[in-house]
Structure formats: structure tokens, C-alpha cells
Amino acid sequence: MPMATAKGQRLTDMLELEVHDLEIQVLTGIYSEETHLPQPLRISVTAGLDCAAHFAPETPLGASKNYLDLKRAATEFPAGLHFTLIEAVADHIIAQVLAGDARVQWVRVKIVKLAIAEAGESIGMTLVRHRMPG
């Protein structure tokens, strides 16, 4: 919701909620050595929400979103579900976050495959999905 400053400027706020660096085991992979054992992934989720024009000290939780919703989306998967690609893991997480709250305008999921790093580098991908207006 836009608000005006003392000088008449119109401002809008967007809240970014973040849950970063969750290390979890996920059934993912395309090679035979990957398909029967979970792989360690580091997952970060950021969601952009439309928000109140101002957060006062007494603003209730309903004006924001519970961070645990993002954490659950990134850590709770149907039992036995195998994702061929980590991109599909990110897609699943994004779908869960978007489905839970119409105020969420976009979601970014970054996934790092921990098992393939050789010298501490981060190898992975980021998927961003925006809700279309209208």
C-alpha cells in the first residue's frame, strides 16, 4: 500500500522474508550412485511480500508471514519423493510458498549441492518465480 512522506513523495514497501543455509538431505540425482541415497543440499529461500505501509511496535503477526512457512516448504517433502534435478526441488519449494499466501509476489530458491564441492566452492542453482499481475 503506497504511503506519502512529509514532502509528498509516494513510497511503497515490499517485505523480503528469508530463511537461509538450511542443510537437508533430499532424494535427488540422475546418476545411479545418486538415485538411492539422499544428497546433502544447502537451501536458501527468500520471498517478497506485499506488506503494510508501516510496521508499528504493536503490529500483529498477521501483517507479515511466519518464517516457519518458508522453512517447512524447504524441509518437508512427501516421503520417498525423488527429484531428478535440483531445479525440481526448487520448483516444489516455490510452489509451496506461493500456494500458502496470496501476498507473496515472488520467491527465490537457491540450492547448493554440497556433495560435489571439492574446495569449498558453491555449486548449484537459483530459481526465481514471480506471480503475474491480474
Side-chain angles (χ1 to χ4, degrees), residues 44-63:
S44 295
V45 181
T46 304
L49 279 77
D50 287 336
C51 64
H54 179 70
F55 289 98
E58 66 280 356
T59 302
L61 175 60

Side-chain angles (χ1 to χ4, degrees), residues 10-75:
R10 291 179 49 85
L11 305 174
T12 60
D13 290 344
M14 176 166 279
L15 180 64
E16 290 187 14
L17 298 180
E18 301 175 338
V19 176
H20 286 202
D21 300 325
L22 298 165
E23 292 190 14
I24 63 168
Q25 299 286 323
V26 179
L27 285 169
T28 184
I30 59 172
Y31 301 110
S32 60
E33 64 272 14
E34 297 176 323
T35 58
H36 62 284
L37 295 173
Q39 289 192 55
L41 302 177
R42 180 178 303 124
I43 300 176
S44 295
V45 181
T46 304
L49 279 77
D50 287 336
C51 64
H54 179 70
F55 289 98
E58 66 280 356
T59 302
L61 175 60
S64 184
K65 181 171 181 59
N66 191 332
Y67 301 95
L68 293 178
D69 292 342
L70 275 65
K71 183 176 180 180
R72 277 190 289 275
T75 59

Side-chain angles (χ1 to χ4, degrees), residues 111-131:
I111 300 177
V112 174
K113 293 184 78 167
L114 298 173
I116 62 174
E118 296 175 348
E121 70 275 21
S122 293
I123 300 171
M125 51 71 58
T126 300
L127 180 63
V128 180
R129 180 167 300 142
H130 293 262
R131 194 181 296 276

